[in-house]
């Protein structure tokens, strides 16, 4: 399997899991079929569209390659039809979201590096590719975006993006090591949820009475 084929498969897998995450969140909000598909589409392809616009790939793959839109739509419809089988919808959404975060972190960073984006910029593009779909999903379903909460979310993506850049610099950016980087992001996200890790919050002290 060539690197381009592996990257395409990882990208489409990320599209599918983020579409399922978005569709599951939409089902939980009791949206109709169109609403479920639309939220799934935005969750699956929002980050990739941002990535392609930043690296000047026009039109974005979400519009240029039918497989992306079809994968997102079919996955969202499947979730809509099969949602009674999801016993714990919230848990399902969180696991799918973690998987999408991991896959899009890796593919976004690799594509940014391939487009000639410098290391620091590639890390930022990889992180924003990963969190863009979830941000759109949460806004459309009237939730506070995960990236703005105390949870370890964008930080996990940034760690994965930095690791991909380091692997590229060391000449180890092959399928095995990139898969390991994706697994690391996935595990960081799930462990942080399990152990309730969070980013620090500002400390506010009440003003002293005068």
């Amino acid at each position: 399997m060539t690197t381009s084929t592996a990257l395409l498969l990882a990208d489409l897998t990320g599209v599918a899991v983020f579409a399922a995450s978005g569709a599951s969140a939409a089902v939980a909000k009791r949206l109709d079929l169109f609403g479920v598909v639309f939220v799934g589409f935005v969750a699956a392809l929002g980050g990739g569209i941002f990535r392609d616009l930043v690296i000047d790939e026009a039109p974005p793959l979400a519009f240029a390659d039918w497989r992306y839109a079809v994968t997102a739509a079919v996955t969202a419809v499947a979730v809509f039809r099969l949602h009674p089988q999801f016993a714990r919808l919230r848990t399902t959404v969180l696991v799918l979201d973690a998987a999408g975060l991991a896959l899009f972190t890796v593919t976004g960073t690799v594509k940014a590096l391939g487009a000639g984006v410098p290391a620091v910029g590639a890390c930022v593009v990889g992180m924003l590719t990963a969190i863009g779909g979830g941000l759109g999903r949460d806004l459309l379903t009237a939730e506070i975006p995960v990236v703005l909460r105390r949870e370890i979310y964008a930080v996990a993506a940034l760690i994965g993006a930095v690791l991909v850049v380091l692997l590229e610099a060391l000449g180890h950016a092959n399928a095995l090591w990139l898969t390991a980087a994706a697994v690391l992001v996935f595990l960081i996200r799930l462990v942080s949820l399990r152990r309730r890790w969070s980013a620090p919050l500002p400390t506010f002290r009440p003003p002293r009475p005068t």
Side-chain angles (χ1 to χ4, degrees):
M1 181 184 297
T2 64
T3 301
S4 60
T5 301
L7 196 60
L8 174 64
L9 290 176
D11 225 10
L12 291 177
T13 302
V15 167
V17 295
F18 256 140
S21 169
S24 298
V27 167
K29 292 290 184 177
R30 302 188 63 80
L31 301 188
D32 62 13
L33 177 59
F34 178 80
V36 170
V37 174
F38 183 74
V39 174
F41 186 91
V42 171
L45 301 174
I49 291 171
F50 168 82
R51 173 200 65 208
D52 292 343
L53 292 175
V54 168
I55 66 175
D56 200 23
E57 184 172 328
L61 279 174
F63 306 130
D65 190 333
W66 61 269
R67 291 172 291 188
Y68 284 78
V70 169
T71 298
V74 169
T75 302
V77 170
V79 171
F80 180 84
R81 298 290 298 176
L82 300 174
H83 72 85
Q85 278 69 43
F86 288 92
R88 298 179 63 186
L89 206 55
R90 174 173 168 75
T91 301
T92 301
V93 171
L94 291 173
V95 172
L96 291 173
D97 184 71
L101 183 78
L103 289 166
F104 274 6
T105 296
V106 172
T107 59
T109 308
V110 169
K111 286 195 173 184
L113 290 170
V117 179
V120 174
C123 290
V124 175
V125 171
M127 179 188 70
L128 293 176
T129 301
I131 69 177
L135 180 64
R137 177 202 63 216
D138 292 342
L139 292 175
L140 288 171
T141 55
E143 294 286 343
I144 298 174
V146 174
V147 68
L148 301 180
R149 301 177 196 167
R150 297 177 59 188
E151 300 173 5
I152 303 298
Y153 191 77
V155 173
L158 186 59
I159 290 172
V162 170
L163 179 57
V164 171
V165 168
L166 290 175
L167 289 173
E168 179 69 28
L170 295 172
H172 295 307
N174 53 45
L176 178 62
W177 281 105
L178 292 177
T179 300
V183 171
L184 177 64
V185 176
F186 180 72
L187 291 177
I188 289 174
R189 173 64 180 147
L190 289 187
V191 171
S192 70
L193 286 170
R194 179 76 176 178
R195 296 183 175 275
R196 300 184 183 276
W197 291 344
S198 64
L201 290 172
T203 301
F204 291 100
R205 295 180 180 178
R208 295 179 179 179
T210 57

